[in-house]
Amino acid sequence: MKIIARARSDFKEKFGIPRQSGLVPQTRARIVFEPEYRNPDALRGIDGYSHLWLIWSFSKAEREGWSPTVRPPRLGGNTRMGVFATRSPFRPNAIGLSCVTLEEIHLHTPDGPVLVVGGADLLDGTPIYDIKPYLPHIDSHPEARGGFAAEKANYALKVDFPEALLKTIDADKRDAILGVLAGDPRPSYQHDPARVYGVRYAHYNVKFTVADGTLTVCDVEEL
């Protein structure tokens, strides 16, 4: 398997990354190809698609050996499920799959051809193995069952982000940060209302508490 590209995103650490692609459509990532693959011809026709599949590596979750069961965070971290019934990063092969929107195509940049994608759930620097077009007439199955994951599909927190603090965030980053916070970045087994958490996004560290279904931002640090 060869790394063909790397994702450049505003997520500088794993904490806070949306649990699935598409959950926060406002997030953006740049797909920057490795020198060997910086050929515009490889992207000929890609502008005809609105969505792409990215096949990539959980580069920060690789470990020796594997377990047949894992503990999905959305089940509280205490219930075990079969690894192949989850999208856990801890798998025999640490391979991830994301469906993203194709927002922009830049064929001639100092880094060669670059794709800008939306709804990305990728850590900055994530290695990408392949890019494939999403085909709605084949890939979309509205009648499909979602298993235990569907039980939490609409879960979201109310976000209380004081206006004075929100204005310290670059305007083009605000919606993405609000979406990340609404998705509840905390592990599901943590419920201490007095605990202060911090999410790094772009060049900000957003600090918050969570109580009674409301996430309250208490500080924003510029990094």
Side-chain angles (χ1 to χ4, degrees), residues 4 21-22 29-31 33 42-56 96-105 114-122 128 130-136 139:
I4 66 162
S21 58
R30 297 169 64 247
I31 307 303
F33 291 87
L43 298 178
R44 188 182 303 169
I46 203 169
D47 58 347
Y49 300 97
S50 63
H51 292 68
L52 302 172
W53 290 110
L54 304 180
I55 300 172
W56 48 275
L97 178 69
S98 295
C99 183
V100 296
T101 56
L102 178 56
E103 301 292 331
E104 300 175 28
I105 304 169
V114 170
L115 302 178
V116 179
V117 298
D121 55 343
L122 303 173
I128 295 175
D130 204 0
I131 299 169
K132 299 178 185 292
Y134 175 94
L135 304 178
D139 295 335

Side-chain angles (χ1 to χ4, degrees), residues 21-171:
S21 58
L23 287 179
V24 185
Q26 299 88 350
T27 61
R28 293 290 181 271
R30 297 169 64 247
I31 307 303
V32 180
F33 291 87
E34 296 291 281
E36 182 180 353
Y37 301 100
R38 292 179 181 176
N39 187 331
D41 286 341
L43 298 178
R44 188 182 303 169
I46 203 169
D47 58 347
Y49 300 97
S50 63
H51 292 68
L52 302 172
W53 290 110
L54 304 180
I55 300 172
W56 48 275
S57 167
F58 288 102
S59 53
K60 301 299 182 182
E62 295 178 354
R63 55 176 62 177
E64 294 294 329
W66 73 288
S67 170
T69 61
V70 294
R71 299 177 180 180
R74 274 292 180 237
L75 294 181
N78 296 316
T79 303
R80 285 194 170 273
M81 291 288 180
V83 64
F84 301 127
T86 76
R87 295 190 177 186
S88 167
F90 303 112
R91 327 182 63 78
N93 294 303
I95 294 174
L97 178 69
S98 295
C99 183
V100 296
T101 56
L102 178 56
E103 301 292 331
E104 300 175 28
I105 304 169
H106 304 286
L107 294 180
H108 305 287
T109 81
D111 295 320
V114 170
L115 302 178
V116 179
V117 298
D121 55 343
L122 303 173
L123 184 70
D124 187 48
T126 292
I128 295 175
Y129 292 132
D130 204 0
I131 299 169
K132 299 178 185 292
Y134 175 94
L135 304 178
H137 60 289
I138 293 174
D139 295 335
S140 178
H141 300 279
E143 76 285 359
R145 290 182 291 129
F148 67 85
E151 299 173 8
K152 300 288 186 178
N154 298 318
Y155 175 82
L157 292 172
K158 177 183 177 183
V159 178
D160 180 6
F161 205 135
E163 188 69 20
L165 291 176
L166 186 60
K167 286 183 177 179
T168 66
I169 305 287
D170 291 341

